[in-house]
């Protein structure tokens, strides 16, 4: 009996451990199983929402690309049509810039529709005027901050319109794309941005395209002057963007809308004297108010305003690179209109110059970490190929062993 009791005691103790431990493990396991489906469902719903948001953002960006490209092509072509009956580029630039006043009212209307804004327009305008300082907008700050940007804006538009009088819409839109290279060079020099070799190559390609475009008809005549005007427009646009990034880089959409409307007011108040001077000096012949092509002028100004709204709003709502792609797509868009409607025949040199400029523009769109991202991508592809090759070798060895067993041979593994 002592022997039997000695043998029974450990069994009873072991059985209690076995009985108690599985019960606790079963309870924990049931709890974990009860929690796991909920967590998996939440993760799946979260990932689904993320994918849906990304897909909607990409689709909205693609739609925005088409709208940006269409509005810019429409603006350029309407300018060409306007010049057939009304050749006053500075008046057109001044008239179109005045429409920037509508930028803040359009922004506030959209804000009321989407978020049910409770602030009055005056309150919202004062809130956004903190862009000029804690005390808001004063007359001194209004002139000091707005004057340089308004002058650069007017010069950019005026030089662009003057270039359209000398060159085709395709050539001017392609040369205007060089502003991306000028922005990089100025940002590297002034803002001390990161140096990137690929962007230096892109800038060299842009300069090469400019030289080829000027050489297409020889370094004389309207062609050379038109190229110089288009490059001047791209340069002033680049300077405007770099200064905007320097002084107003952290501005939100409301502050940007406020600033552009302020520029419109500055243009209306202070630059209105320039068209009058050009009229009385007979540099630009306006004629009577009734003889002006108001349909073309209003259509041009409306398209220009839509383009600026899409550019500034699109940067906030979607990816900024898509806005740049939309600007680039205006080149083939203008080329299609020039060939189909105006029956323009492009020379080989002009086509090559346009392609080089567009390729340089695409290189400038590469992100700063593009080299490391590319190397990681190539390493991932190499790892996948290695894994697939290893799986193929394993499958082939298993297939070989099964064939050997079927033939009656037995492979003896080494110890």
């Amino acid at each position: 009996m002592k022997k039997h009791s000695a043998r029974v005691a450990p069994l009873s103790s072991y059985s209690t451990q076995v009985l108690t431990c599985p019960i606790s493990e079963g309870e924990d396991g049931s709890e974990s199983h009860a929690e796991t489906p909920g967590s998996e469902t939440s993760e799946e719903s979260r990932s689904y929402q993320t994918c849906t948001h990304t897909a909607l953002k990409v689709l909205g960006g693609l739609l925005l690309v088409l709208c940006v490209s269409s509005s810019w092509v429409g603006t350029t072509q309407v300018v060409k049509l306007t010049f057939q009956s009304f050749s006053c580029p500075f008046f057109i630039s001044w008239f179109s810039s005045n429409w920037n006043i509508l930028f803040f009212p359009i922004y506030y209307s959209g804000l009321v529709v989407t978020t049910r804004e409770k602030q009055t327009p005056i309150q919202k305008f004062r809130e956004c005027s903190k862009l000029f300082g804690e005390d808001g907008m004063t007359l001194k700050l209004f002139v000091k901050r707005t004057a340089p940007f308004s002058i650069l804006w007017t010069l950019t538009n005026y030089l662009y319109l003057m270039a359209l009088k000398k060159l085709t819409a395709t050539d001017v839109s392609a040369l205007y794309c060089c502003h991306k290279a000028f922005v990089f060079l100025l940002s590297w020099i002034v803002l001390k941005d990161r140096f990137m070799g690929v962007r230096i190559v892109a800038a060299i390609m842009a300069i090469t395209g400019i030289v080829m475009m000027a050489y297409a008809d020889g370094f004389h005549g309207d062609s050379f002057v038109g190229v110089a005007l288009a490059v001047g427009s791209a340069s002033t646009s680049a300077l405007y963007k770099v200064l905007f990034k320097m002084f107003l880089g952290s501005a939100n959409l409301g502050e940007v809308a406020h600033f552009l409307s302020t520029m419109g007011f500055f243009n209306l108040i202070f630059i209105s004297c320039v068209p009058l001077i050009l009229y009385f000096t007979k540099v630009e012949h306006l004629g009577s108010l009734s003889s002006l092509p108001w349909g073309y002028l209003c259509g041009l100004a409306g398209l220009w305003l839509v383009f600026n709204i899409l550019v500034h709003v699109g940067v906030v709502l979607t990816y900024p690179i898509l806005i740049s792609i939309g600007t680039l797509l205006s080149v083939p868009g203008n080329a299609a209109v020039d060939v189909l409607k105006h029956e323009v025949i492009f020379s080989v040199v002009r086509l090559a110059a346009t392609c080089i400029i567009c390729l340089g523009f695409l290189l400038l769109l590469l992100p700063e970490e593009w080299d490391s991202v590319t190397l990681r991508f190539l390493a991932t592809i190499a790892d996948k190929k290695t894994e697939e090759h290893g799986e193929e070798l394993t499958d082939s060895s298993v297939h070989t062993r099964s064939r050997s067993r079927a033939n009656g041979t037995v492979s003896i593994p080494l110890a």
Side-chain angles (χ1 to χ4, degrees):
M1 291 298 293
K2 289 181 181 179
K3 291 181 180 180
H4 288 292
S5 62
R7 291 179 183 177
V8 170
L11 289 174
S12 62
S13 63
Y14 179 75
S15 64
T16 55
Q17 292 177 358
V18 172
L19 288 174
T20 54
C21 291
I23 290 173
S24 61
E25 289 177 359
E27 291 174 354
D28 295 338
S30 63
E31 290 177 359
S32 63
H33 284 297
E35 292 176 359
T36 301
S39 60
E40 290 179 354
T41 305
S42 62
E43 290 178 359
E44 289 178 358
S45 62
R46 202 177 300 115
S47 61
Y48 177 76
Q49 290 176 358
T50 304
C51 294
T52 304
H53 177 71
T54 305
L56 290 176
K57 194 173 182 180
V58 171
L59 290 176
L62 294 177
L63 181 61
L64 194 66
V65 165
L66 295 177
C67 293
V68 168
S69 178
S70 302
S71 61
W72 192 234
V73 171
T75 301
T76 306
Q77 295 297 329
V78 172
V79 169
K80 298 290 287 185
L81 292 175
T82 307
F83 280 157
Q84 295 177 3
S85 58
F86 184 72
S87 181
C88 298
F90 194 89
F91 179 83
I92 295 174
S93 174
W94 170 81
F95 180 77
S96 301
S97 299
N98 289 335
W99 283 51
N100 283 339
I101 297 173
L102 301 175
F103 207 107
F104 186 81
I106 293 174
Y107 161 76
Y108 182 79
S109 301
L111 197 65
V112 170
V113 172
T114 55
T115 62
R116 297 180 180 179
E117 182 66 33
K118 296 181 180 180
Q119 289 179 315
T120 63
I122 302 299
Q123 291 174 342
K124 191 64 180 179
F125 191 83
R126 289 176 179 174
E127 179 185 340
C128 295
S129 64
K130 292 181 180 179
L131 178 70
F132 293 91
E134 293 296 332
D135 298 332
M137 184 175 59
T138 61
L139 180 60
K140 182 180 179 180
L141 286 174
F142 169 71
V143 176
K144 182 180 179 181
R145 286 290 184 92
T146 312
F149 291 99
S150 184
I151 292 172
L152 288 173
W153 182 285
T154 303
L155 279 176
T156 300
N157 296 343
Y158 176 67
L159 293 174
Y160 188 84
L161 296 178
M162 287 292 293
L164 285 173
K165 293 182 67 176
K166 307 290 184 181
L167 301 173
T168 62
T170 306
D171 295 342
V172 176
S173 58
L175 289 169
Y176 183 75
C177 288
C178 295
H179 77 275
K180 198 75 174 177
F182 300 152
V183 167
F184 163 68
L185 295 175
L186 289 174
S187 300
W188 178 41
I189 297 171
V190 178
L191 302 180
K192 308 299 181 182
D193 282 358
R194 178 185 172 186
F195 174 81
M196 290 181 63
V198 66
R199 293 186 178 177
I200 290 293
V201 174
I204 294 173
M205 293 177 68
I207 295 172
T208 304
I210 292 171
V211 175
M212 291 178 63
M213 193 74 73
Y215 177 73
D217 295 330
F219 294 97
H220 57 80
D222 291 343
S223 177
F224 181 75
V225 175
V227 171
L229 291 171
V231 173
S233 176
S235 302
T236 52
S237 176
L239 184 58
Y240 170 87
K241 292 182 178 181
V242 171
L243 291 178
F244 191 91
K245 184 178 179 181
M246 181 186 297
F247 294 107
L248 308 171
S250 59
N252 55 35
L253 184 58
E255 292 172 343
V256 171
H258 178 281
F259 185 75
L260 290 176
S261 292
T262 307
M263 284 177 52
F265 279 111
F266 183 91
N267 185 80
L268 180 62
I269 296 171
F270 293 98
I271 304 184
S272 298
C273 59
V274 179
L276 294 175
I277 294 173
L278 295 177
Y279 172 73
F280 287 115
T281 56
K282 297 183 179 180
V283 176
E284 291 188 354
H285 304 279
L286 300 178
S288 61
L289 293 177
S290 59
S291 63
L292 295 180
W294 290 111
Y296 284 139
L297 291 176
C298 293
L300 168 62
L303 285 171
W304 220 323
L305 178 64
V306 169
F307 173 76
N308 290 321
I309 290 174
L310 291 174
V311 167
H312 290 90
V313 174
V315 171
V316 178
L317 297 181
T318 184
Y319 303 101
I321 190 173
L322 297 177
I323 307 301
S324 300
I325 293 175
T327 306
L328 179 63
L329 289 178
S330 64
V331 179
N334 281 314
V337 175
D338 286 341
V339 171
L340 296 176
K341 186 175 181 179
H342 303 291
E343 298 180 354
V344 177
I345 299 175
F346 298 102
S347 63
V348 178
V349 179
R350 288 186 181 276
L351 287 176
T354 302
C355 293
I356 290 174
I357 292 174
C358 293
L359 182 59
F361 188 91
L362 290 175
L363 290 178
L364 288 167
L365 297 181
L366 291 174
E368 293 185 355
E369 304 295 335
W370 72 274
D371 48 354
S372 58
V373 172
T374 305
L375 290 176
R376 285 199 300 268
F377 179 71
L378 294 176
T380 304
I381 294 176
D383 292 339
K384 287 183 179 180
K385 288 184 177 180
T386 304
E387 292 176 358
E388 292 176 356
H389 184 64
E391 291 177 356
E392 290 177 357
L393 291 176
T394 304
D395 294 339
S396 62
S397 62
V398 171
H399 183 65
T400 304
R401 289 180 182 179
S402 62
R403 289 180 59 188
S404 62
R405 288 175 182 175
N407 294 330
T409 59
V410 178
S411 59
I412 301 175
L414 296 176

